[in-house]
Amino acid sequence: MDRCVVLVDAGYLLGAAASLLAGESSRSRIAVEHAELIRLLRERAEAETGLPLLRIYWFDAAPDRRPMPDHRRLRVMPRVTVRLGALTRADGRMVQKGVDAAMHAELSELARNRACADVVLVTGDGDLLPGMTAAKDYGVAVHLWAVQAADGDFNQSEDLVAEADERRVLDREWITCSIRAKEPVATCAPADPRPDIAKILSAPRPVEPAPDATAELAELSGPGRPELAEPHERAPEDKPAPHKVPTPKEIAAGIGAGRPAPAPPPATPSTLRWSSDRGWVDRLGDSGPGDSLPTLAQLTTAEQKWADREEDITTVGGDPTEVGQVFARRWTERLGDPARLSGLWSDYPRVPHRVDGELLRYAARFGLLAHKDDQIDEHDRYAIRAGFWREIATRVPGGEGAGVEG
């Protein structure tokens, strides 16, 4: 049948929307205009598939599978069918049960019965992968929709992303057309506290006096130590001049009364060694010109982090040199000032320590730097750094003709 169907995992859609708009995944932090949301889902599905909508299936969970007010409003809307799983408490939090199984069963039945030509899945759970594969085997085109992640993390199973025929992202602009964050409720203090409490709170705090040696001696004195109860007070003219007693360490060092302390020995610069694509390099000093530059993480916003993750999965192939170039491109573009790269270029082939560690951690996402035959693959490490410098060479004066090793 030349129709499309939309299957919505409400826990994923609304939880991810709450994280995006309110900073936490609690659905109580957002207000949803369900009629508007259903209209937007229908219009977008029909526009992207080019087919009329058969039905929107709304999968959610509820205590004892009893519909909540939102479910009652949804199930009376045209072209909407609500399927409910159980909402139970586990390890101190509420979890849904049976939703994934219901989505899997519905998807398989629709595909087997040729009820639709295209299916739109709004979910992130990898448990739906078998159902997606079965639907494709029956000739159904599967469209996977993601909700833009708030903190830059990827909120969908990568196996689902790899198996889907088409993939789209519901970004913040689209989400806010029907969902908004609720204003936080401020807690108010009692308007008229008890008078005795009010007096205590308004009373000034006494200033504690500085500790007195005489008082301390008096506290230490007792019935068996009368000589400490009233310490003898000497006249001012009888007090000797203060005399500093050298400590044992000063005595061992030959420092006595009136002798100046010897000057500390001059610091000698340390020698650093690091691996690069030109072999081992020795330099004096504990830092280079590029070590004052910020890292990519410090320059990246949450939304940029999310977009980077999208690009990593959908575009970046995982070649070591390509990975180094992609990292360097993002870093230099967000650094903003090309003049700041001049100091970095003068330190070639040394990558700044913090940036180098960040670069290698990024490369590890693609399975690079893995242990092969109980050895770290140094060839990948050099190729990653060579890709980094190859991209930097295109962004500094005279860098393109420098012949960066690859």
Side-chain angles (χ1 to χ4, degrees):
M1 298 293 290
D2 292 336
R3 296 176 295 187
C4 68
V5 171
V6 180
L7 276 64
V8 180
D9 180 351
Y12 167 77
L13 173 60
L14 300 183
S19 296
L20 179 65
L21 303 180
E24 60 180 88
S25 60
S26 173
R27 289 161 60 171
S28 63
R29 296 292 307 276
I30 56 174
V32 184
E33 299 177 14
H34 288 88
E36 182 65 9
L37 177 58
I38 294 299
R39 183 186 69 81
L40 292 172
L41 287 170
R42 176 173 184 170
E43 290 181 356
R44 182 155 183 165
E46 291 180 339
E48 293 196 4
T49 63
L51 299 173
L53 177 76
L54 171 63
R55 192 173 297 115
I56 294 177
Y57 289 89
W58 186 272
F59 295 87
D60 205 355
D64 299 328
R65 289 187 167 87
R66 295 179 180 178
M68 306 295 286
D70 292 342
H71 303 141
R72 296 190 179 96
R73 285 192 292 269
L74 282 165
R75 65 183 182 177
V76 298
M77 294 181 185
R79 305 274 182 169
V80 177
T81 297
V82 176
R83 298 278 192 259
L84 293 180
L87 190 65
T88 59
R89 181 176 293 278
D91 298 328
R93 62 188 184 92
M94 302 303 292
V95 295
Q96 59 183 24
K97 298 291 185 181
V99 174
D100 298 334
M103 291 187 70
H104 179 280
E106 199 71 57
L107 177 58
S108 300
E109 284 296 315
L110 290 169
R112 183 182 303 111
N113 295 326
R114 310 285 182 180
C116 59
D118 290 62
V119 170
V120 175
L121 297 178
V122 186
T123 184
D125 196 339
D127 291 342
L128 204 59
L129 182 63
M132 177 188 289
T133 304
K136 291 176 63 177
D137 292 340
Y138 283 110
V140 174
V142 180
H143 303 251
L144 183 64
W145 290 1
V147 177
Q148 178 180 342
D151 54 3
D153 292 334
F154 202 69
N155 59 9
Q156 270 188 323
S157 165
E158 294 188 17
D159 292 332
L160 284 181
V161 175
E163 194 67 21
D165 295 305
E166 300 284 346
R167 185 169 181 270
R168 297 290 183 270
V169 175
L170 307 177
D171 58 14
R172 181 188 295 268
E173 181 179 357
W174 190 92
I175 292 292
T176 52
C177 291
S178 57
I179 303 174
R180 62 175 177 82
K182 293 180 180 178
E183 295 294 332
V185 180
T187 56
C188 300
D192 185 18
R194 289 167 45 193
D196 53 336
I197 299 297
K199 291 179 181 179
I200 294 173
L201 295 177
S202 61
R205 292 185 178 183
V207 179
E208 296 182 0
D212 181 44
T214 304
E216 291 180 1
L217 290 174
E219 290 177 1
L220 291 174
S221 62
R225 304 189 63 182
E227 69 278 4
L228 296 178
E230 295 181 4
H232 176 66
E233 184 68 23
R234 299 181 64 175
E237 60 272 12
D238 296 336
K239 291 182 179 179
H243 175 72
K244 182 178 181 301
V245 179
T247 65
K249 290 184 178 179
E250 292 175 337
I251 295 173
I255 304 173
R259 295 183 182 178
T268 57
S270 58
T271 301
L272 296 180
R273 293 172 62 86
W274 60 86
S275 172
S276 73
D277 53 354
R278 286 187 177 178
W280 285 99
V281 178
D282 289 341
R283 291 199 182 201
L284 293 179
D286 56 358
S287 64
D291 287 288
S292 61
L293 296 176
T295 63
L296 177 61
Q298 293 171 329
L299 298 169
T300 302
T301 64
E303 296 201 0
Q304 285 174 328
K305 183 180 177 183
W306 174 84
D308 291 346
R309 186 64 169 158
E310 288 279 317
E311 183 184 12
D312 291 342
I313 290 179
T314 58
T315 305
V316 182
D319 175 76
T321 303
E322 179 192 12
V323 167
Q325 288 179 292
V326 170
F327 180 93
R329 170 175 56 79
R330 293 174 183 169
W331 185 57
T332 52
E333 287 177 351
R334 291 165 197 175
L335 193 61
D337 185 4
R340 303 180 72 181
L341 296 178
S342 299
L344 173 69
W345 181 249
S346 66
D347 210 27
Y348 172 81
R350 176 185 180 269
V351 181
H353 176 69
R354 293 185 303 160
V355 177
D356 188 54
E358 193 178 37
L359 169 62
L360 297 180
R361 287 192 298 271
Y362 170 68
R365 297 181 186 175
F366 299 91
L368 302 175
L369 305 177
H371 289 264
K372 300 176 182 178
D373 298 328
D374 296 330
Q375 298 292 328
I376 295 177
D377 193 337
E378 289 293 330
H379 181 271
D380 285 352
R381 186 187 298 268
Y382 297 149
I384 293 163
R385 289 169 172 155
F388 175 88
W389 282 114
R390 184 177 297 176
E391 183 67 24
I392 297 297
T394 65
R395 299 172 182 270
V396 295
E400 294 184 357
V404 177
E405 299 178 7

